Amino acid sequence: MEMAPRAKARNEFVAMLTDLFAPLGHITARRMFGGWGVYCDGTVFGLVAHDVLFLKADDECRAAFEDRQLDMFYPHGPDGVCISYYEIPGEWLEDEDDILPYARIALDAGLRAALNKKPKPKKRAGQTKGGVKVKAKTKSKSAGAGA
């Protein structure tokens, strides 16, 4: 019995956002932590949780969001840890002139975060990860090579 391919999860709100943010670049969305991550050309700049949009901020642009008295994102409720994303009012999504400047600010914050991200160290043979030895990567020889 042949199995049908699994359909991708679809969220109409997220689909609307990908269209709305298209002037910024290639917009994609990926499921993450029960919500969605919103990306422009591979850089995350927004989150969607319960059909609410949150845009990324950092120290350089946080004031732009705070000046508009936007709420921060608390993924585990008001007593939990907040992360640097701000809730965007639904009415802003009705006009590109309202939302796109803030989406651009959020994208710039995402780009800065990506630049500041430290690369993960490469694992070498003999190193351990969680007490388990890591095998060395070997180059595979093509068929018939060396024969």
mmCIF file of all heavy atoms in Angstrom, residues 81-120:
data_model
loop_
_atom_site.group_PDB
_atom_site.id
_atom_site.type_symbol
_atom_site.label_atom_id
_atom_site.label_comp_id
_atom_site.label_asym_id
_atom_site.label_seq_id
_atom_site.Cartn_x
_atom_site.Cartn_y
_atom_site.Cartn_z
ATOM 1 N N VAL A 81 9.768 34.152 31.398
ATOM 2 C CA VAL A 81 10.836 34.931 30.786
ATOM 3 C C VAL A 81 10.299 35.590 29.514
ATOM 4 O O VAL A 81 9.574 34.967 28.746
ATOM 5 C CB VAL A 81 12.016 33.999 30.425
ATOM 6 C CG1 VAL A 81 13.105 34.740 29.677
ATOM 7 C CG2 VAL A 81 12.571 33.340 31.675
ATOM 8 N N CYS A 82 10.657 36.853 29.312
ATOM 9 C CA CYS A 82 10.254 37.504 28.064
ATOM 10 C C CYS A 82 11.418 37.406 27.089
ATOM 11 O O CYS A 82 12.565 37.253 27.490
ATOM 12 C CB CYS A 82 9.859 38.960 28.298
ATOM 13 S SG CYS A 82 11.214 40.044 28.716
ATOM 14 N N ILE A 83 11.091 37.447 25.820
ATOM 15 C CA ILE A 83 12.133 37.476 24.800
ATOM 16 C C ILE A 83 11.929 38.723 23.968
ATOM 17 O O ILE A 83 10.872 39.341 24.017
ATOM 18 C CB ILE A 83 12.136 36.193 23.943
ATOM 19 C CG1 ILE A 83 10.815 35.979 23.234
ATOM 20 C CG2 ILE A 83 12.483 34.981 24.786
ATOM 21 C CD1 ILE A 83 10.811 34.797 22.286
ATOM 22 N N SER A 84 12.933 39.114 23.254
ATOM 23 C CA SER A 84 12.924 40.402 22.560
ATOM 24 C C SER A 84 12.098 40.402 21.284
ATOM 25 O O SER A 84 12.604 40.611 20.187
ATOM 26 C CB SER A 84 14.352 40.838 22.262
ATOM 27 O OG SER A 84 14.987 41.206 23.458
ATOM 28 N N TYR A 85 10.823 40.153 21.443
ATOM 29 C CA TYR A 85 9.856 40.268 20.359
ATOM 30 C C TYR A 85 8.684 41.072 20.912
ATOM 31 O O TYR A 85 8.325 40.921 22.078
ATOM 32 C CB TYR A 85 9.365 38.892 19.890
ATOM 33 C CG TYR A 85 10.387 38.148 19.064
ATOM 34 C CD1 TYR A 85 11.429 37.462 19.658
ATOM 35 C CD2 TYR A 85 10.306 38.141 17.680
ATOM 36 C CE1 TYR A 85 12.368 36.781 18.908
ATOM 37 C CE2 TYR A 85 11.229 37.455 16.909
ATOM 38 C CZ TYR A 85 12.258 36.785 17.533
ATOM 39 O OH TYR A 85 13.171 36.117 16.770
ATOM 40 N N TYR A 86 8.108 41.921 20.084
ATOM 41 C CA TYR A 86 7.016 42.781 20.518
ATOM 42 C C TYR A 86 5.741 42.476 19.745
ATOM 43 O O TYR A 86 5.776 42.261 18.527
ATOM 44 C CB TYR A 86 7.390 44.261 20.346
ATOM 45 C CG TYR A 86 8.376 44.704 21.400
ATOM 46 C CD1 TYR A 86 9.734 44.461 21.266
ATOM 47 C CD2 TYR A 86 7.935 45.341 22.554
ATOM 48 C CE1 TYR A 86 10.636 44.847 22.242
ATOM 49 C CE2 TYR A 86 8.827 45.734 23.533
ATOM 50 C CZ TYR A 86 10.176 45.483 23.377
ATOM 51 O OH TYR A 86 11.053 45.860 24.355
ATOM 52 N N GLU A 87 4.616 42.491 20.473
ATOM 53 C CA GLU A 87 3.310 42.206 19.880
ATOM 54 C C GLU A 87 2.882 43.346 18.971
ATOM 55 O O GLU A 87 2.919 44.514 19.348
ATOM 56 C CB GLU A 87 2.275 42.007 20.982
ATOM 57 C CG GLU A 87 0.919 41.635 20.461
ATOM 58 C CD GLU A 87 -0.082 41.334 21.572
ATOM 59 O OE1 GLU A 87 0.323 41.103 22.723
ATOM 60 O OE2 GLU A 87 -1.288 41.363 21.265
ATOM 61 N N ILE A 88 2.455 42.985 17.771
ATOM 62 C CA ILE A 88 2.039 43.971 16.779
ATOM 63 C C ILE A 88 0.512 44.025 16.750
ATOM 64 O O ILE A 88 -0.145 42.993 16.605
ATOM 65 C CB ILE A 88 2.600 43.603 15.389
ATOM 66 C CG1 ILE A 88 4.127 43.556 15.429
ATOM 67 C CG2 ILE A 88 2.109 44.579 14.324
ATOM 68 C CD1 ILE A 88 4.801 44.815 15.964
ATOM 69 N N PRO A 89 -0.068 45.216 16.902
ATOM 70 C CA PRO A 89 -1.532 45.337 16.870
ATOM 71 C C PRO A 89 -2.105 44.853 15.535
ATOM 72 O O PRO A 89 -1.533 45.115 14.473
ATOM 73 C CB PRO A 89 -1.775 46.837 17.047
ATOM 74 C CG PRO A 89 -0.511 47.401 17.589
ATOM 75 C CD PRO A 89 0.595 46.503 17.111
ATOM 76 N N GLY A 90 -3.226 44.172 15.591
ATOM 77 C CA GLY A 90 -3.871 43.642 14.397
ATOM 78 C C GLY A 90 -4.182 44.694 13.350
ATOM 79 O O GLY A 90 -4.056 44.439 12.148
ATOM 80 N N GLU A 91 -4.546 45.901 13.766
ATOM 81 C CA GLU A 91 -4.909 46.934 12.786
ATOM 82 C C GLU A 91 -3.707 47.376 11.951
ATOM 83 O O GLU A 91 -3.874 47.888 10.850
ATOM 84 C CB GLU A 91 -5.603 48.136 13.445
ATOM 85 C CG GLU A 91 -4.778 48.878 14.450
ATOM 86 C CD GLU A 91 -4.967 48.381 15.886
ATOM 87 O OE1 GLU A 91 -5.554 47.306 16.090
ATOM 88 O OE2 GLU A 91 -4.497 49.079 16.803
ATOM 89 N N TRP A 92 -2.485 47.169 12.456
ATOM 90 C CA TRP A 92 -1.298 47.511 11.672
ATOM 91 C C TRP A 92 -1.190 46.622 10.439
ATOM 92 O O TRP A 92 -0.560 46.996 9.451
ATOM 93 C CB TRP A 92 -0.034 47.350 12.501
ATOM 94 C CG TRP A 92 0.195 48.400 13.538
ATOM 95 C CD1 TRP A 92 -0.724 49.238 14.091
ATOM 96 C CD2 TRP A 92 1.426 48.703 14.155
ATOM 97 N NE1 TRP A 92 -0.129 50.037 15.030
ATOM 98 C CE2 TRP A 92 1.190 49.733 15.094
ATOM 99 C CE3 TRP A 92 2.712 48.206 14.044
ATOM 100 C CZ2 TRP A 92 2.195 50.275 15.886
ATOM 101 C CZ3 TRP A 92 3.714 48.736 14.824
ATOM 102 C CH2 TRP A 92 3.452 49.768 15.735
ATOM 103 N N LEU A 93 -1.761 45.439 10.499
ATOM 104 C CA LEU A 93 -1.644 44.483 9.402
ATOM 105 C C LEU A 93 -2.544 44.838 8.231
ATOM 106 O O LEU A 93 -2.462 44.218 7.171
ATOM 107 C CB LEU A 93 -1.962 43.073 9.905
ATOM 108 C CG LEU A 93 -1.089 42.596 11.065
ATOM 109 C CD1 LEU A 93 -1.550 41.229 11.528
ATOM 110 C CD2 LEU A 93 0.382 42.594 10.692
ATOM 111 N N GLU A 94 -3.376 45.828 8.410
ATOM 112 C CA GLU A 94 -4.295 46.242 7.353
ATOM 113 C C GLU A 94 -3.681 47.258 6.404
ATOM 114 O O GLU A 94 -4.262 47.567 5.374
ATOM 115 C CB GLU A 94 -5.575 46.805 7.978
ATOM 116 C CG GLU A 94 -6.340 45.761 8.768
ATOM 117 C CD GLU A 94 -7.486 46.340 9.580
ATOM 118 O OE1 GLU A 94 -7.862 47.506 9.327
ATOM 119 O OE2 GLU A 94 -7.997 45.620 10.451
ATOM 120 N N ASP A 95 -2.504 47.785 6.743
ATOM 121 C CA ASP A 95 -1.886 48.821 5.922
ATOM 122 C C ASP A 95 -0.372 48.624 5.893
ATOM 123 O O ASP A 95 0.276 48.681 6.944
ATOM 124 C CB ASP A 95 -2.230 50.209 6.485
ATOM 125 C CG ASP A 95 -1.770 51.344 5.594
ATOM 126 O OD1 ASP A 95 -1.067 51.102 4.595
ATOM 127 O OD2 ASP A 95 -2.122 52.498 5.912
ATOM 128 N N GLU A 96 0.169 48.398 4.712
ATOM 129 C CA GLU A 96 1.610 48.209 4.568
ATOM 130 C C GLU A 96 2.396 49.386 5.128
ATOM 131 O O GLU A 96 3.489 49.220 5.648
ATOM 132 C CB GLU A 96 1.985 48.010 3.095
ATOM 133 C CG GLU A 96 1.616 46.673 2.531
ATOM 134 C CD GLU A 96 2.067 46.513 1.093
ATOM 135 O OE1 GLU A 96 2.695 47.443 0.522
ATOM 136 O OE2 GLU A 96 1.803 45.447 0.531
ATOM 137 N N ASP A 97 1.856 50.592 5.015
ATOM 138 C CA ASP A 97 2.565 51.769 5.509
ATOM 139 C C ASP A 97 2.738 51.737 7.021
ATOM 140 O O ASP A 97 3.663 52.347 7.554
ATOM 141 C CB ASP A 97 1.836 53.054 5.097
ATOM 142 C CG ASP A 97 1.880 53.292 3.595
ATOM 143 O OD1 ASP A 97 2.791 52.755 2.925
ATOM 144 O OD2 ASP A 97 0.991 54.006 3.088
ATOM 145 N N ASP A 98 1.850 51.042 7.731
ATOM 146 C CA ASP A 98 1.974 50.913 9.184
ATOM 147 C C ASP A 98 2.971 49.825 9.559
ATOM 148 O O ASP A 98 3.812 50.021 10.428
ATOM 149 C CB ASP A 98 0.619 50.566 9.822
ATOM 150 C CG ASP A 98 -0.343 51.740 9.835
ATOM 151 O OD1 ASP A 98 0.119 52.901 9.813
ATOM 152 O OD2 ASP A 98 -1.558 51.490 9.864
ATOM 153 N N ILE A 99 2.872 48.665 8.916
ATOM 154 C CA ILE A 99 3.631 47.499 9.363
ATOM 155 C C ILE A 99 5.015 47.377 8.744
ATOM 156 O O ILE A 99 5.962 46.955 9.414
ATOM 157 C CB ILE A 99 2.816 46.193 9.146
ATOM 158 C CG1 ILE A 99 3.491 45.002 9.821
ATOM 159 C CG2 ILE A 99 2.586 45.914 7.677
ATOM 160 C CD1 ILE A 99 3.642 45.111 11.314
ATOM 161 N N LEU A 100 5.181 47.716 7.480
ATOM 162 C CA LEU A 100 6.468 47.468 6.823
ATOM 163 C C LEU A 100 7.653 48.199 7.460
ATOM 164 O O LEU A 100 8.734 47.608 7.562
ATOM 165 C CB LEU A 100 6.387 47.748 5.324
ATOM 166 C CG LEU A 100 5.622 46.699 4.518
ATOM 167 C CD1 LEU A 100 5.601 47.063 3.038
ATOM 168 C CD2 LEU A 100 6.171 45.298 4.728
ATOM 169 N N PRO A 101 7.516 49.439 7.920
ATOM 170 C CA PRO A 101 8.667 50.060 8.592
ATOM 171 C C PRO A 101 9.106 49.280 9.843
ATOM 172 O O PRO A 101 10.306 49.135 10.103
ATOM 173 C CB PRO A 101 8.159 51.454 8.967
ATOM 174 C CG PRO A 101 7.064 51.728 7.989
ATOM 175 C CD PRO A 101 6.414 50.397 7.744
ATOM 176 N N TYR A 102 8.151 48.750 10.595
ATOM 177 C CA TYR A 102 8.500 47.979 11.792
ATOM 178 C C TYR A 102 9.034 46.600 11.427
ATOM 179 O O TYR A 102 9.917 46.069 12.101
ATOM 180 C CB TYR A 102 7.306 47.896 12.744
ATOM 181 C CG TYR A 102 7.110 49.211 13.448
ATOM 182 C CD1 TYR A 102 6.323 50.210 12.889
ATOM 183 C CD2 TYR A 102 7.754 49.479 14.646
ATOM 184 C CE1 TYR A 102 6.183 51.439 13.503
ATOM 185 C CE2 TYR A 102 7.618 50.702 15.275
ATOM 186 C CZ TYR A 102 6.835 51.684 14.696
ATOM 187 O OH TYR A 102 6.713 52.908 15.300
ATOM 188 N N ALA A 103 8.533 46.025 10.356
ATOM 189 C CA ALA A 103 9.060 44.744 9.884
ATOM 190 C C ALA A 103 10.513 44.923 9.436
ATOM 191 O O ALA A 103 11.361 44.066 9.694
ATOM 192 C CB ALA A 103 8.204 44.203 8.747
ATOM 193 N N ARG A 104 10.819 46.048 8.809
ATOM 194 C CA ARG A 104 12.190 46.332 8.372
ATOM 195 C C ARG A 104 13.105 46.497 9.587
ATOM 196 O O ARG A 104 14.240 46.004 9.601
ATOM 197 C CB ARG A 104 12.202 47.611 7.521
ATOM 198 C CG ARG A 104 13.552 47.991 7.003
ATOM 199 C CD ARG A 104 13.916 47.116 5.831
ATOM 200 N NE ARG A 104 15.258 46.606 6.062
ATOM 201 C CZ ARG A 104 15.874 45.755 5.283
ATOM 202 N NH1 ARG A 104 15.300 45.290 4.205
ATOM 203 N NH2 ARG A 104 17.079 45.343 5.537
ATOM 204 N N ILE A 105 12.620 47.184 10.619
ATOM 205 C CA ILE A 105 13.393 47.342 11.858
ATOM 206 C C ILE A 105 13.673 45.967 12.464
ATOM 207 O O ILE A 105 14.792 45.680 12.902
ATOM 208 C CB ILE A 105 12.624 48.239 12.857
ATOM 209 C CG1 ILE A 105 12.584 49.685 12.356
ATOM 210 C CG2 ILE A 105 13.234 48.157 14.254
ATOM 211 C CD1 ILE A 105 11.618 50.576 13.123
ATOM 212 N N ALA A 106 12.649 45.107 12.485
ATOM 213 C CA ALA A 106 12.799 43.755 13.037
ATOM 214 C C ALA A 106 13.767 42.927 12.203
ATOM 215 O O ALA A 106 14.594 42.182 12.747
ATOM 216 C CB ALA A 106 11.435 43.072 13.112
ATOM 217 N N LEU A 107 13.692 43.050 10.900
ATOM 218 C CA LEU A 107 14.618 42.321 10.030
ATOM 219 C C LEU A 107 16.050 42.781 10.273
ATOM 220 O O LEU A 107 16.971 41.964 10.356
ATOM 221 C CB LEU A 107 14.229 42.512 8.563
ATOM 222 C CG LEU A 107 15.145 41.860 7.536
ATOM 223 C CD1 LEU A 107 15.307 40.364 7.782
ATOM 224 C CD2 LEU A 107 14.637 42.125 6.127
ATOM 225 N N ASP A 108 16.259 44.078 10.423
ATOM 226 C CA ASP A 108 17.596 44.589 10.725
ATOM 227 C C ASP A 108 18.111 44.015 12.047
ATOM 228 O O ASP A 108 19.287 43.671 12.160
ATOM 229 C CB ASP A 108 17.605 46.116 10.761
ATOM 230 C CG ASP A 108 17.436 46.744 9.381
ATOM 231 O OD1 ASP A 108 17.602 46.029 8.368
ATOM 232 O OD2 ASP A 108 17.111 47.951 9.320
ATOM 233 N N ALA A 109 17.225 43.892 13.044
ATOM 234 C CA ALA A 109 17.617 43.283 14.322
ATOM 235 C C ALA A 109 17.999 41.816 14.114
ATOM 236 O O ALA A 109 18.972 41.330 14.703
ATOM 237 C CB ALA A 109 16.483 43.408 15.339
ATOM 238 N N GLY A 110 17.247 41.121 13.277
ATOM 239 C CA GLY A 110 17.566 39.727 12.977
ATOM 240 C C GLY A 110 18.900 39.587 12.270
ATOM 241 O O GLY A 110 19.678 38.677 12.557
ATOM 242 N N LEU A 111 19.181 40.494 11.346
ATOM 243 C CA LEU A 111 20.464 40.461 10.642
ATOM 244 C C LEU A 111 21.626 40.734 11.594
ATOM 245 O O LEU A 111 22.668 40.083 11.508
ATOM 246 C CB LEU A 111 20.459 41.477 9.489
ATOM 247 C CG LEU A 111 19.537 41.132 8.324
ATOM 248 C CD1 LEU A 111 19.375 42.332 7.391
ATOM 249 C CD2 LEU A 111 20.046 39.911 7.569
ATOM 250 N N ARG A 112 21.443 41.682 12.525
ATOM 251 C CA ARG A 112 22.491 41.959 13.510
ATOM 252 C C ARG A 112 22.725 40.738 14.398
ATOM 253 O O ARG A 112 23.861 40.385 14.708
ATOM 254 C CB ARG A 112 22.133 43.177 14.364
ATOM 255 C CG ARG A 112 22.309 44.498 13.647
ATOM 256 C CD ARG A 112 22.161 45.682 14.576
ATOM 257 N NE ARG A 112 20.823 45.830 15.124
ATOM 258 C CZ ARG A 112 19.836 46.483 14.527
ATOM 259 N NH1 ARG A 112 20.017 47.051 13.358
ATOM 260 N NH2 ARG A 112 18.649 46.579 15.111
ATOM 261 N N ALA A 113 21.641 40.078 14.804
ATOM 262 C CA ALA A 113 21.763 38.887 15.643
ATOM 263 C C ALA A 113 22.510 37.781 14.905
ATOM 264 O O ALA A 113 23.353 37.096 15.495
ATOM 265 C CB ALA A 113 20.384 38.400 16.078
ATOM 266 N N ALA A 114 22.228 37.623 13.625
ATOM 267 C CA ALA A 114 22.908 36.589 12.834
ATOM 268 C C ALA A 114 24.397 36.899 12.708
ATOM 269 O O ALA A 114 25.225 35.982 12.765
ATOM 270 C CB ALA A 114 22.265 36.474 11.458
ATOM 271 N N LEU A 115 24.739 38.176 12.554
ATOM 272 C CA LEU A 115 26.154 38.554 12.464
ATOM 273 C C LEU A 115 26.893 38.316 13.775
ATOM 274 O O LEU A 115 28.078 37.983 13.770
ATOM 275 C CB LEU A 115 26.291 40.033 12.077
ATOM 276 C CG LEU A 115 26.010 40.379 10.632
ATOM 277 C CD1 LEU A 115 26.048 41.896 10.437
ATOM 278 C CD2 LEU A 115 27.011 39.706 9.704
ATOM 279 N N ASN A 116 26.207 38.510 14.888
ATOM 280 C CA ASN A 116 26.830 38.374 16.199
ATOM 281 C C ASN A 116 26.845 36.947 16.718
ATOM 282 O O ASN A 116 27.443 36.675 17.749
ATOM 283 C CB ASN A 116 26.130 39.278 17.216
ATOM 284 C CG ASN A 116 26.348 40.740 16.901
ATOM 285 O OD1 ASN A 116 27.389 41.119 16.382
ATOM 286 N ND2 ASN A 116 25.367 41.560 17.180
ATOM 287 N N LYS A 117 26.165 36.042 16.011
ATOM 288 C CA LYS A 117 26.089 34.656 16.444
ATOM 289 C C LYS A 117 27.451 34.001 16.275
ATOM 290 O O LYS A 117 28.067 34.079 15.217
ATOM 291 C CB LYS A 117 25.045 33.906 15.618
ATOM 292 C CG LYS A 117 24.609 32.613 16.205
ATOM 293 C CD LYS A 117 23.527 32.009 15.340
ATOM 294 C CE LYS A 117 22.340 31.660 16.187
ATOM 295 N NZ LYS A 117 21.281 31.027 15.416
ATOM 296 N N LYS A 118 27.921 33.371 17.337
ATOM 297 C CA LYS A 118 29.206 32.690 17.280
ATOM 298 C C LYS A 118 29.034 31.358 16.565
ATOM 299 O O LYS A 118 28.075 30.631 16.824
ATOM 300 C CB LYS A 118 29.743 32.446 18.690
ATOM 301 C CG LYS A 118 30.096 33.721 19.416
ATOM 302 C CD LYS A 118 30.621 33.447 20.785
ATOM 303 C CE LYS A 118 30.923 34.752 21.492
ATOM 304 N NZ LYS A 118 31.384 34.543 22.848
ATOM 305 N N PRO A 119 29.968 31.033 15.662
ATOM 306 C CA PRO A 119 29.840 29.750 14.966
ATOM 307 C C PRO A 119 30.050 28.594 15.950
ATOM 308 O O PRO A 119 30.811 28.701 16.906
ATOM 309 C CB PRO A 119 30.957 29.797 13.927
ATOM 310 C CG PRO A 119 31.920 30.817 14.419
ATOM 311 C CD PRO A 119 31.139 31.787 15.268
ATOM 312 N N LYS A 120 29.337 27.497 15.699
ATOM 313 C CA LYS A 120 29.489 26.322 16.545
ATOM 314 C C LYS A 120 30.833 25.683 16.250
ATOM 315 O O LYS A 120 31.232 25.572 15.091
ATOM 316 C CB LYS A 120 28.364 25.317 16.272
ATOM 317 C CG LYS A 120 27.008 25.815 16.692
ATOM 318 C CD LYS A 120 25.958 24.771 16.418
ATOM 319 C CE LYS A 120 24.592 25.287 16.819
ATOM 320 N NZ LYS A 120 23.546 24.314 16.569
#
